[in-house]
Amino acid sequence: MSTAILTGPPVAGSPLEADLRTLGFDVRTANDPAAAAELINAVPAQERVAVVDPRFVGHLHALRLALTDPRFPAAAVPGALTAQPAARAALARAVGRIPVGAGTAHLTDVLTDTLTESLDRDETGLHRVELGSLVATVALTPAQREDAREAVAAVDDEAVRLRTAVKSRDGFFTTYGISPYSRYLARWCARRGFTPNQVTTASLLTALIAAGCAATGTRGGFIAAGVLLLFSFVLDCTDGQLARYSLQYSTMGAWLDATFDRAKEYAYYAGLALGAARGGDDVWALALGAMVLMTCRHVVDFSFNEANHDATANTSPTAALSDKLDSVGWTVWVRRMIVLPIGERWAMIAVLTALTTPRIVFYALLIGCALAACYTTAGRVLRSLTRRARRTDRAAQALADLADSGPLAELIARSGRGRGRTGSFLAPVMAFLSAAVLLVWVLAEDDPTSWLTVGVAVCSAVLAGAAVARPLKGTLDWLVPPFFRVGEYVTILVLAARADVPGALPAAFGLVAAVAYHHYDTVYRIRGGTGAPPRWLVRATGGHEGRILVITVLAAALPPSGFTIALTALAVALALLVLIESIRFWVSSQAPAVHDEGEPA
């Protein structure tokens, strides 16, 4: 139960108390700041406290935004503010600082405004709600109250609530093909007590059923899979809209939403590959290639954003041109569709699954995602080269964490410290060579499953260590993690494909999926401000260079059938290790309050 304290002159016939009870507050009254302080201190420390002026006039949704949003330690609109446990002490201090006696009327007449300003000065993380067309005001006279009521009646707050439940920036298909009706499904779920986490789980289960239908390999199964995949995406949109509609944000929900999207898509790829195999067509290499390409695309997005989001002097002519194009409506949609965001991508996969074959689905997916990756990466390289940004230590650490370097690369990096110049192109060049040397060898060599490949993997590790020997603050240093991901994932794909035995590629698919989960988990921990996973986990998984070395040793030492078994065992071991630690972290009290709006891609 949360407590709302009404402090100020009472207003007869006001619906305010009923509105507060609708929002789940226990309503109490206080005649002066001293009484308010006493009530605040009497409320249990783990509960939320709101202070509301009885003369408040406004929309119920304005109160909901100010008093029930769990993302902020404190929030306010004119006439109402709230403090969660993290800001309770600051609120108590603010009330205690208000003087009493003659000459203090300007502080106590609208007490909520005085407390809001005090919390703002104390840097408690106060969030001032952007009301838009919603009304929230303190009516001091009957005339003001009448005007405010007319303003409230002129705006349908339920329509505003529905509209703002939809993300402001989304893909064309999602904006015009899903959101116009999924918002009503979100409201239906809210009115029946469903939570966003339940809808997220339903979306995952629907996608897994779709993957199972695709795995049947029949035309009826493929049609059902396409329909269910689209419905899974509708639910995927609904869970976020439900969270925004009902303000049911949670750390667990953010984690589930962030990880389930990838789990759904990659499980569907596996279902298509199984279905194709039933028809005599082996497309596991294409399925694994699609997963590798999608993951590497996201790593490019994450690395670029982490390198630049807090950089100073962070401007460029390319960014200015992009902002200018945003004013031309049709270019916005074209540029959003070019990158093949999740809505367009899932719609394409669903339609092609129902009408064609898994091989055609993967060909279209690989071509479309490759073009999108080239477009976005080229644009980001151009932005980086034309801007004069100064990267922060935090950005350099984030890139180092995303690099996922293990003990071997750390040892090499320590021996190379002091050489090279921070801010040069040395790091991305070394990272590129680390991946290129290995990939050229395994692709060109007639038999890459040899001890010579192990030697090349050691050389690759040396180059990888050299890439991270200096802080990653250079213009293109954000390319280091993507180069490492390409080197690792594609090496696994090629070695499994060249083994040429049944089960090798499915085992490699599972191994890459486990490693990719570890990398996505790292991203969301960094976004939450808690840093990367613990170093013991990174060392236990070997880091990217350690895993490559282990896999090349297994390929050289074991026969093809034994290599397949080893890949399977490694995939299971890594999956258990990273999943157990990830679940432990995200359900713990130390987990960050990440409320992700989703990636457009």
Side-chain angles (χ1 to χ4, degrees), residues 317-379:
T318 309
L321 175 62
S322 178
D323 293 339
K324 188 173 182 180
L325 287 174
D326 283 342
S327 63
V328 184
W330 64 271
T331 67
V332 174
W333 293 117
V334 169
R335 287 183 292 134
R336 289 186 189 178
M337 294 174 69
I338 285 175
V339 301
L340 202 63
I342 188 170
E344 278 76 357
R345 189 168 69 249
W346 282 29
M348 180 186 74
I349 293 171
V351 171
L352 291 178
T353 298
L355 299 180
T356 64
T357 65
R359 181 171 290 271
I360 292 176
V361 173
F362 285 123
Y363 281 151
L365 187 61
L366 286 167
I367 293 171
C369 289
L371 292 174
C374 290
Y375 169 78
T376 55
T377 305

Side-chain angles (χ1 to χ4, degrees), residues 136-367:
T137 186
V138 176
L140 301 178
T141 66
Q144 290 178 353
R145 175 169 294 276
E146 187 61 30
D147 291 342
R149 285 174 174 169
E150 290 179 2
V152 169
V155 177
D156 184 351
D157 71 336
E158 179 60 21
V160 173
R161 189 181 179 191
L162 269 176
R163 185 177 66 251
T164 54
V166 178
K167 283 196 295 187
S168 58
R169 183 182 183 274
D170 225 326
F172 183 87
F173 176 74
T174 305
T175 299
Y176 293 105
I178 303 295
S179 293
Y181 57 87
S182 62
R183 69 184 74 182
Y184 295 101
L185 178 58
R187 182 171 67 181
W188 183 88
C189 291
R191 290 177 175 177
R192 282 153 184 81
F194 293 111
T195 68
N197 289 355
Q198 291 171 333
V199 178
T200 301
T201 304
S203 176
L204 173 66
L205 293 175
T206 304
L208 293 179
I209 295 171
C213 291
T216 63
T218 64
R219 178 51 50 196
F222 288 144
I223 292 173
V227 172
L228 287 171
L229 185 65
L230 281 178
F231 183 59
S232 174
F233 183 64
V234 171
L235 293 175
D236 185 53
C237 295
T238 301
D239 64 359
Q241 292 166 358
L242 174 58
R244 287 182 287 273
Y245 180 84
S246 56
L247 301 182
Q248 295 184 74
Y249 300 100
S250 69
T251 296
M252 176 65 75
W255 174 60
L256 293 178
D257 191 51
T259 55
F260 279 11
D261 277 352
R262 301 286 78 78
K264 289 181 285 189
E265 191 164 2
Y266 298 160
Y268 192 81
Y269 294 171
L272 284 175
L274 289 169
R278 286 180 177 272
D281 189 13
D282 186 355
V283 296
W284 274 107
L286 295 177
L288 180 50
M291 182 167 67
V292 168
L293 182 55
M294 281 306 309
T295 305
C296 290
R297 273 191 66 191
H298 285 128
V299 173
V300 168
D301 294 342
F302 298 144
S303 295
F304 179 80
N305 291 334
E306 288 301 324
N308 291 287
H309 89 280
D310 61 351
T312 57
N314 199 9
T315 59
S316 76
T318 309
L321 175 62
S322 178
D323 293 339
K324 188 173 182 180
L325 287 174
D326 283 342
S327 63
V328 184
W330 64 271
T331 67
V332 174
W333 293 117
V334 169
R335 287 183 292 134
R336 289 186 189 178
M337 294 174 69
I338 285 175
V339 301
L340 202 63
I342 188 170
E344 278 76 357
R345 189 168 69 249
W346 282 29
M348 180 186 74
I349 293 171
V351 171
L352 291 178
T353 298
L355 299 180
T356 64
T357 65
R359 181 171 290 271
I360 292 176
V361 173
F362 285 123
Y363 281 151
L365 187 61
L366 286 167
I367 293 171

